[in-house]
């Protein structure tokens, strides 16, 4: 059986699943329940300095639902821990002592003053925790006070604070990045320059999850007003995967350990983050939706997949997909694929036809010899995959590569060689290079 | 089942405890609540040129009304339904969806579980009827007047569409209440809480439609007079005749016409006062046979048997209806015909039956007989069109296979007379088909009158 134990920055945990810094990790009570359920580690909910922050007493969450109210996206306006620093530190100390085999990272957010960081790091070190995560990501509330995303959005601040932490503490430092920037690599590079041991991403995305059309105010609405909050859950996974991959393949940050975060709900989501370079993954919304028991599926699914693929340890596959993430300009323009509809599987809903007919390439029939039938017209099909995406039946439509003959759309013979945009005659830059 | 004829007939009322009546005759398909409707609506694939829509005789835009439910717009959804089928509320209850839209649903092909279109249609239409919103406005008044004979689904549908186009309509109906078979002919558990009348009220709320109850064609009114006094006439009077068994003993006490029994049941204010036999036999294989059989059982009959002269596939009652009968405890015997009703003291006590088979394409008895005890026998072998009231007053209207001949526009051989519903030839004898007839005829009448 596969070994799913995790060693991230020397921090060991029985599995790669940590609960992200969030409400599930705000108290000893919750964290102990998580460890009893089998979670590999937690990032304790963000600690601050001075008097605890105050949260709103109305709704803190808004949601996007799919069919049958399946939670697809969650947004929150909660702040960092609103409990006293002393109680948190005391509980962290006790939990780490009682659960030595689990990863316990402490999330921190204090003002951008060196002394503030020196003070809190000193107190956190005394808990015996395994490391700290710098919360440079919170998009709401704290950012208005010059912390959270307000720091994460300025690479110079990211580098400066990271360097303070590395200077004043021996603890491993993980820098948590905000997605609310135009190029996540800038923040990652800054963290790297500051000496970060790892980055974790993504924090939540700035969002208004919905608008109450009766109250004329954003949800969640507190006494008639709403504010932007942090978006998370399955809906943000694609954004997170892309950002993780950008950092994993960037020449400056290549090899920098990554803790992947963003909509991990099943083992497969976790595996996807890991093959794109995440050494561990953090989970929050799925636990907040279903409770801690989901760790059993996360563990069993990953282990089963590793056994099927012959991976013995996490290292065998972490980062394996990174080399296959490339820039558009390097995609093979000689690769030709055509959609193919399995007529036995087809239930004749016609969605492929109308999607192609109305919005794409007019490459799928509605009738053949007068009868309702959906067939791909190879002469028109550009292989875009829209039909596959909208078909309600799995594997009914597949994209089949053409390896020989002539592409009936272009009447050009299939070229088995690789050719990309950088050398394409229509590329003005390519022409220039040839000159 | 086969016993000596001669045990005492036992037809009586009040067979059940009071609460069992309301339980047995409650809504057969409880309506979906909002969450259930949203979950079910999400199952719809919004198909292109949707097969369900093609299968619907009134061409309701089913994917659109379901999408409107999904999008939290049940009122708009109901409007989408009513635009094509103003009796969409009743059709949601009585349509054999399993042979129409739901059979065509691609999820039926995919997984054998079609989207519950009928229940979703009911959800939307109930919503609008309960809200009481007015969704249809009349066009500018034309001053044209149309007479409609029969306030059943065909006549009501025709009248509503004509009123929408700005015409004034007078509906003549022989009964005390409007609704036709919706009011008098459908099993009680399919239309609870006086739904047929509520739907009529909703339909009439558009204005411009007057109903004259107690007006029977050939008696209080004549076709010649209507043609003279109105700009056009629509005939939707249904089928007045009941097919006879042509078997000895048909006039014995206890031999009942199923259609009038169902009508009595629907109009009964107190079901416990309705008499039913202990051993009931129903002769026939259509919806009426099933409705009579199931309701006899629900009224407390011990044994109910449907006797049908052909096989299961030939039954007009849908497979779903047959299953419903069986799950309610009705036995269905195929390939059996009644030869003779056996009586004692003028009351029916048993039926002498003969097995049947098809030979050289025609149905014949095998000569093998048996006796089935029965103290109540329902005749449910179909109805026929009674043409006499049409004629005598003017030139004759052409018939085809015993019913009124119409063209594609539902126009009869008389240029100013249209017809629809069960009284026309080639129909399907379905509520939804009658609604479509009325709608098509109304559009044709409007076109002619606007020319």
């Amino acid at each position: 059986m596969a070994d799913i134990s995790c060693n991230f920055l020397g921090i060991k945990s029985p599995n790669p699943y940590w609960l992200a810094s969030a409400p599930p990790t705000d108290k000893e009570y919750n964290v102990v329940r998580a460890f009893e359920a089998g979670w590999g580690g937690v990032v304790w909910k963000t600690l601050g300095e001075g008097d605890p922050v105050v949260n709103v007493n109305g709704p803190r969450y808004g949601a996007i639902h799919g069919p049958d109210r399946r939670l697809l996206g969650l947004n929150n306006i909660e702040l960092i821990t609103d409990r006293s620093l002393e109680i948190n530190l005391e509980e962290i100390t006790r939990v780490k002592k009682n659960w030595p085999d689990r990863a316990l990272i402490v999330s921190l957010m204090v003002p951008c003053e060196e002394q503030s960081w020196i003070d809190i790091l000193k107190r956190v070190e005394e808990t015996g925790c395994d490391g700290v995560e710098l919360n440079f990501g919170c998009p709401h509330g704290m950012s208005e006070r010059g912390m959270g995303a307000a720091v994460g959005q300025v690479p110079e601040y990211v580098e400066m604070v990271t360097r303070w932490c590395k200077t004043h503490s021996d603890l491993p430092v993980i820098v948590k990045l905000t997605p609310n920037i135009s190029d996540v690599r800038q923040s990652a590079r800054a963290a790297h320059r500051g000496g970060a041991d790892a980055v974790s991403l993504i924090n939540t995305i700035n969002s208004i999850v919905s608008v109450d059309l009766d109250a004329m105010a954003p949800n969640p609405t507190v006494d008639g007003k709403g504010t932007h909050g942090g978006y998370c859950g399955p809906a943000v996974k694609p954004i997170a995967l892309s950002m993780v991959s950008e950092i994993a393949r960037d020449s400056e940050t290549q090899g920098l350990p990554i803790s992947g975060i963003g909509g991990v709900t099943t083992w497969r989501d976790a595996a996807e983050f890991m093959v794109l370079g995440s050494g561990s993954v953090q989970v929050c919304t799925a636990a907040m939706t279903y409770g801690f028991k989901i760790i059993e599926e996360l563990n069993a699914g990953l282990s089963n997949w590793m056994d099927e693929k012959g991976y013995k340890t996490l290292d065998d596959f972490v980062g394996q997909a990174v080399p296959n993430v490339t820039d558009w300009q390097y995609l093979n323009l000689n690769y030709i694929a055509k959609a193919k509809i399995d007529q036995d599987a087809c239930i004749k809903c016609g969605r492929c036809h109308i999607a192609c007919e109305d919005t794409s390439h007019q490459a799928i029939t509605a009738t053949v010899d007068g009868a309702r039938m959906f067939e791909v017209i190879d002469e028109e099909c550009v292989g875009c995959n829209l039909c596959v995406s909208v078909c309600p039946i799995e594997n009914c439509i597949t994209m089949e590569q053409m390896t020989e003959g002539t592409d009936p759309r272009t009447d050009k013979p299939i070229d088995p060689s690789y050719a990309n945009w950088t050398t394409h005659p229509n590329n003005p830059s390519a022409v220039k290079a040839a000159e | 089942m086969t016993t000596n004829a001669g045990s005492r007939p036992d037809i009586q009322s009040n067979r059940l405890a009071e609460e069992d009546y309301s339980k047995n005759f409650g809504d057969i398909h409880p309506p979906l609540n909002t969450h259930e409707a949203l979950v079910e609506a999400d199952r719809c694939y919004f198909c292109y040129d949707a097969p369900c829509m093609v299968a619907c005789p009134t061409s309701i835009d089913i994917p659109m009304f379901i999408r409107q439910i999904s999008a939290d717009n049940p009122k708009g959804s109901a409007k989408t339904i009513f635009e094509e089928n103003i009796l969409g509320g009743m059709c949601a209850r009585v349509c054999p969806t399993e042979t129409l839209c739901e059979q065509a649903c691609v999820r039926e092909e995919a997984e054998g579980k079609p989207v519950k279109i009928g229940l979703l249609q009911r959800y939307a239409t109930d919503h609008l009827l309960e809200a009481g919103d007015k969704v249809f406005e009349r066009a500018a008044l034309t001053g044209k007047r149309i007479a409609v004979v029969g306030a059943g689904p065909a006549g009501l549908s025709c009248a509503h569409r004509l009123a929408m186009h700005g015409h004034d309509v007078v509906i003549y109906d022989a009964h005390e209440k409007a609704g036709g078979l919706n009011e008098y002919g459908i099993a009680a558990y399919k239309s609870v809480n006086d739904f047929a009348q509520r739907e009529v009220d909703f339909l009439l709320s558009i204005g411009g439609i007057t109903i004259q109850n107690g007006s029977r064609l050939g008696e209080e009114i004549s076709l010649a007079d209507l043609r003279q006094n109105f700009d056009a006439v629509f005939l939707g009077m249904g089928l007045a005749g009941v097919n006879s068994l042509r078997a000895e003993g048909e006039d014995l006490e206890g031999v009942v016409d199923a259609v009038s029994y169902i009508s009595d049941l629907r109009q009964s204010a107190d079901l416990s006062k309705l008499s039913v036999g202990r051993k009931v036999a129903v002769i026939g294989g259509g919806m009426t046979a099933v409705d009579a059989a199931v309701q006899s059982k629900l009224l407390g009959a011990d044994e109910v048997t449907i006797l049908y002269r052909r096989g299961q596939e030939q039954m007009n009652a849908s497979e779903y209806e047959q299953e419903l009968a069986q799950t309610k405890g009705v036995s269905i015997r195929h390939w059996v015909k009644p030869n003779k009703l056996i009586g004692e003291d003028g009351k029916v006590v048993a039926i002498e039956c003969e097995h049947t088979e098809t030979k050289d394409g025609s149905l014949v008895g095998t000569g093998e007989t048996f006796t089935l005890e029965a103290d109540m026998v329902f005749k449910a072998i179909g109805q026929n069109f009674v043409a006499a009231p049409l004629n005598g007053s003017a030139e004759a209207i052409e018939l085809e296979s015993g019913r009124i001949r119409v063209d594609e526009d539902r126009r009869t051989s008389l240029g100013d007379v249209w017809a629809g519903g069960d009284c026309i030839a080639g129909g399907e004898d379905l509520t939804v088909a009658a609604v479509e007839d009325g709608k098509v005829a109304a559009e044709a009448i409007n076109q002619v009158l606007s020319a």
Side-chain angles (χ1 to χ4, degrees):
Chain A
M1 207 164 96
D3 175 9
I4 60 168
S5 68
C6 178
N7 182 347
F8 188 78
L9 313 179
I11 304 165
K12 291 183 178 150
S13 57
N15 59 58
Y17 304 107
W18 300 352
L19 284 166
S21 168
T25 62
D26 191 27
K27 293 198 303 283
E28 179 179 12
Y29 179 84
N30 303 78
V31 172
V32 167
R33 284 179 70 84
F35 286 164
E36 282 168 354
W39 287 81
V42 300
V43 182
W44 202 277
K45 187 168 163 85
T46 308
L47 309 182
E49 69 171 21
D51 291 333
V53 300
V54 179
N55 269 303
V56 295
N57 298 298
R60 300 176 191 181
Y61 301 107
I64 297 284
H65 291 115
D68 208 0
R69 282 182 70 82
R70 177 179 280 256
L71 189 76
L72 299 181
L74 188 69
N75 142 306
N76 83 87
I77 55 166
E78 187 170 296
L79 303 180
I80 63 173
T81 184
D82 54 12
R83 306 189 315 144
S84 83
L85 181 62
E86 288 67 32
I87 290 176
N88 273 306
L89 294 172
E90 186 191 314
E91 289 184 2
I92 291 167
T93 309
R94 190 159 55 236
V95 170
K96 183 62 208 178
K97 188 164 161 256
N98 291 340
W99 298 88
D101 68 324
R102 309 302 169 94
L104 203 168
I105 314 295
V106 178
S107 173
L108 300 176
M109 183 195 289
V110 293
C112 260
E113 287 161 21
E114 192 166 6
Q115 194 56 48
S116 293
W117 289 95
I118 291 172
D119 293 345
I120 198 149
L121 282 164
K122 200 172 144 211
R123 300 194 66 178
V124 167
E125 275 181 348
E126 288 165 4
T127 63
C129 72
D130 297 304
V132 292
E133 184 181 80
L134 313 187
N135 182 343
F136 293 163
C138 231
H140 50 269
M142 304 311 291
S143 54
E144 296 166 12
R145 305 174 198 181
M147 294 180 271
V151 177
Q153 285 166 338
V154 183
E156 292 75 14
Y157 293 171
V158 171
E159 183 179 343
M160 176 179 75
V161 178
T162 306
R163 183 164 290 123
W164 291 340
C165 294
K166 286 306 293 178
T167 306
H168 300 298
S169 171
D170 293 332
L171 285 172
V173 173
I174 303 169
V175 177
K176 187 165 179 178
L177 303 178
T178 176
N180 302 305
I181 37 80
S182 49
D183 182 358
V184 77
R185 292 174 304 181
Q186 304 298 334
S187 338
R189 287 169 188 162
H192 190 46
R193 283 195 300 273
D197 296 284
V199 289
S200 58
L201 69 160
I202 56 174
N203 205 311
T204 54
I205 301 174
N206 220 341
S207 59
I208 286 178
V209 79
S210 61
V211 178
D212 183 326
L213 292 175
D214 295 318
M216 281 295 168
N219 282 318
T221 306
V222 180
D223 193 25
K225 306 277 184 202
T227 186
H228 61 92
Y231 195 44
C232 55
V236 311
K237 188 184 104 175
I239 297 162
L241 285 177
S242 172
M243 289 188 165
V244 164
S245 76
E246 287 303 303
I247 294 169
R249 71 193 189 94
D250 182 58
S251 58
E252 280 188 45
T253 53
Q254 220 164 29
L256 179 66
I258 299 170
S259 185
I261 314 170
V264 171
T265 307
T266 69
W267 71 268
R268 182 179 293 274
D269 301 323
E272 290 176 17
F273 271 95
M274 296 176 86
V275 297
L276 285 177
S278 303
S280 76
V281 291
Q282 298 185 28
V283 180
C284 175
T285 308
M288 291 184 75
T289 310
Y290 304 107
F292 291 144
K293 192 182 175 189
I294 59 164
I295 187 62
E296 294 169 27
E297 181 282 323
L298 288 166
N299 282 337
L302 187 65
S303 172
N304 178 59
W305 172 71
M306 287 170 65
D307 287 343
E308 275 177 13
K309 294 288 178 184
Y311 299 127
K312 296 200 161 38
T313 68
L314 304 183
D315 290 339
D316 290 351
F317 66 87
V318 167
Q320 287 293 303
V322 176
N324 294 328
V325 182
T326 186
D327 294 340
W328 189 94
Q329 62 180 337
Y330 300 122
L331 297 174
N332 183 5
L333 295 175
N334 283 345
Y335 176 88
I336 309 286
K338 300 283 177 193
K340 193 165 185 300
I341 300 172
D342 176 349
Q343 295 299 334
D344 292 332
C346 176
I347 59 168
K348 297 187 169 62
C349 69
R351 277 176 25 173
C352 56
H353 163 79
I354 202 61
C356 194
E357 191 71 14
D358 277 355
T359 70
S360 292
H361 302 92
Q362 297 74 50
I364 298 180
T365 64
T367 54
V368 174
D369 297 331
R372 185 177 177 87
M373 187 171 183
F374 303 96
E375 265 187 353
V376 176
I377 304 161
D378 285 347
E379 288 74 11
E380 305 295 338
C381 179
V382 303
C384 76
N385 208 41
L386 177 64
C387 54
V388 175
S389 308
V390 303
C391 177
I393 303 297
E394 274 158 294
N395 303 319
C396 173
I397 312 181
T398 47
M399 300 304 299
E400 307 285 332
Q401 184 188 356
M402 289 188 72
T403 52
E404 54 190 16
T406 302
D407 178 355
R409 185 175 70 88
T410 58
D411 286 330
K412 287 186 183 149
I414 302 295
D415 185 345
S417 68
Y418 163 84
N420 65 42
W421 176 244
T422 63
T423 56
H424 197 278
N426 288 13
N427 180 351
S429 311
V431 173
K432 213 177 273 173
E435 284 166 1
Chain B
M1 199 173 287
T2 311
T3 53
N4 59 321
S7 60
R8 303 190 64 78
D10 179 18
I11 299 181
Q12 55 166 290
S13 57
N14 217 3
R15 286 190 183 276
L16 303 174
E18 201 182 313
E19 63 269 22
D20 287 336
Y21 284 101
S22 50
K23 198 180 92 192
N24 286 358
F25 289 89
D27 212 330
I28 188 166
H29 293 302
L32 300 176
N33 66 32
T34 301
H35 178 73
E36 288 167 329
L38 290 175
V39 171
E40 191 59 26
D42 273 328
R43 295 185 64 231
C44 173
Y45 287 143
F46 200 72
C47 293
Y48 164 74
D49 189 18
C52 54
M53 198 176 154
V54 175
C56 175
T58 56
S59 309
I60 293 172
D61 192 341
I62 294 166
M64 185 56 72
F65 94 65
I66 294 179
R67 192 168 180 81
Q68 288 171 301
I69 292 173
S70 283
D72 195 24
N73 181 11
K75 185 176 145 187
S77 174
K79 188 157 185 254
T80 300
I81 295 161
F82 288 136
E83 272 166 3
E84 294 301 336
N85 181 337
I86 195 63
L87 296 171
M90 185 59 86
C91 288
R93 290 163 166 78
V94 303
C95 257
T97 52
E98 64 281 357
T99 61
L100 295 170
C101 52
E102 293 180 17
Q103 185 182 56
C105 176
V106 299
R107 291 199 87 131
E108 167 66 21
E109 170 155 350
E111 64 210 57
K113 289 196 184 86
V115 174
K116 292 171 183 161
I117 298 168
L119 279 171
L120 287 170
Q121 180 166 322
R122 175 162 174 192
Y123 172 80
T125 51
D126 278 1
H127 182 92
L128 186 67
L129 257 62
E130 273 157 32
D133 292 1
K134 195 171 172 181
V135 285
F136 293 102
E137 297 289 337
R138 295 184 71 191
L141 299 188
T142 62
K144 305 279 186 189
R145 297 172 70 242
I146 296 103
V148 168
V149 181
L156 288 170
S157 160
C158 184
H160 185 268
R161 186 56 66 114
L162 289 167
M164 258 175 75
H165 285 307
H167 308 301
D168 289 325
V169 182
V170 180
I171 306 181
Y172 297 94
D173 193 274
H175 293 87
E176 226 176 280
K177 295 190 208 169
L181 288 177
N182 285 357
E183 175 58 42
Y184 294 96
I186 283 159
Y189 46 76
K190 292 179 187 169
S191 170
V192 301
N193 299 328
D194 208 17
F195 181 75
Q197 288 312 301
R198 286 193 288 133
E199 187 167 50
V200 169
D201 292 344
F202 159 75
L203 185 146
L204 295 180
S205 70
I206 190 169
I209 305 172
T210 316
I211 299 189
Q212 302 269 339
N213 291 107
S215 304
R216 190 180 294 273
L217 193 67
E219 293 177 19
E220 290 80 9
I221 49 168
S222 76
L223 183 57
D225 287 347
L226 296 179
R227 292 180 67 194
Q228 198 170 0
N229 297 334
F230 289 87
D231 295 294
V233 179
F234 177 81
L235 301 173
M237 69 287 255
L239 305 174
V242 174
N243 292 343
S244 88
L245 284 178
R246 289 194 291 267
E248 188 188 320
E250 196 167 346
D251 49 2
L252 286 167
E253 200 178 309
V255 181
V256 183
D257 158 27
V259 174
S260 35
Y261 189 80
I262 289 168
S263 167
D264 290 348
L265 193 150
R266 277 296 298 281
Q267 299 308 313
S268 160
D270 181 358
L271 291 172
S272 68
K273 296 209 167 76
L274 212 62
S275 299
V276 70
R278 180 175 292 278
K279 296 180 178 180
V280 175
V282 181
I283 299 167
M287 296 289 195
T288 303
V290 170
D291 283 355
V294 170
Q295 295 193 111
S296 302
K297 190 75 196 172
L298 295 177
L299 283 172
D302 272 356
E303 286 173 18
V304 180
T305 309
I306 290 177
L307 302 174
Y308 181 56
R309 61 197 177 127
R310 293 181 190 270
Q312 190 188 350
E313 303 77 54
Q314 288 89 3
M315 282 182 86
N316 270 334
S318 69
E319 209 173 301
Y320 167 79
E321 292 283 335
Q322 295 179 41
E323 269 173 31
L324 174 74
Q326 284 160 333
T327 53
K328 296 289 182 194
V330 172
S331 334
I332 303 180
R333 299 197 65 172
H334 299 109
W335 302 109
V336 167
K337 72 180 173 93
N339 276 349
K340 189 167 88 174
L341 304 181
I342 302 163
E344 242 172 45
D345 304 329
K347 295 175 181 170
V348 70
V349 292
I351 309 175
E352 186 198 292
C353 304
E354 184 179 356
H355 288 285
T356 57
E357 60 184 351
T358 41
K359 221 175 212 171
D360 307 323
S362 58
L363 191 77
V364 293
T366 61
E368 207 182 335
T369 63
F370 64 92
T371 306
L372 178 75
E373 258 186 49
D375 46 25
M376 195 165 190
V377 175
F378 285 113
K379 297 185 285 179
I381 52 170
Q383 291 174 266
N384 54 62
F385 178 60
V386 181
L390 280 178
N391 300 318
S393 62
E395 56 188 307
I397 207 161
E398 276 179 34
L399 303 185
E400 175 184 337
S401 319
R403 302 197 193 181
I404 301 171
R405 178 206 293 275
V406 291
D407 66 9
E408 259 185 12
D409 289 338
R410 313 302 192 265
R411 201 177 203 168
T412 68
S413 57
L414 306 179
D416 56 347
V417 180
W418 281 257
D422 291 351
C423 66
I424 62 169
E428 290 176 83
D429 293 357
L430 289 175
T431 307
V432 64
V435 173
E436 179 68 1
D437 290 340
K439 183 177 91 184
V440 168
E443 291 297 346
I445 292 168
N446 178 55
Q447 208 160 18
V448 169
L449 296 187
S450 314

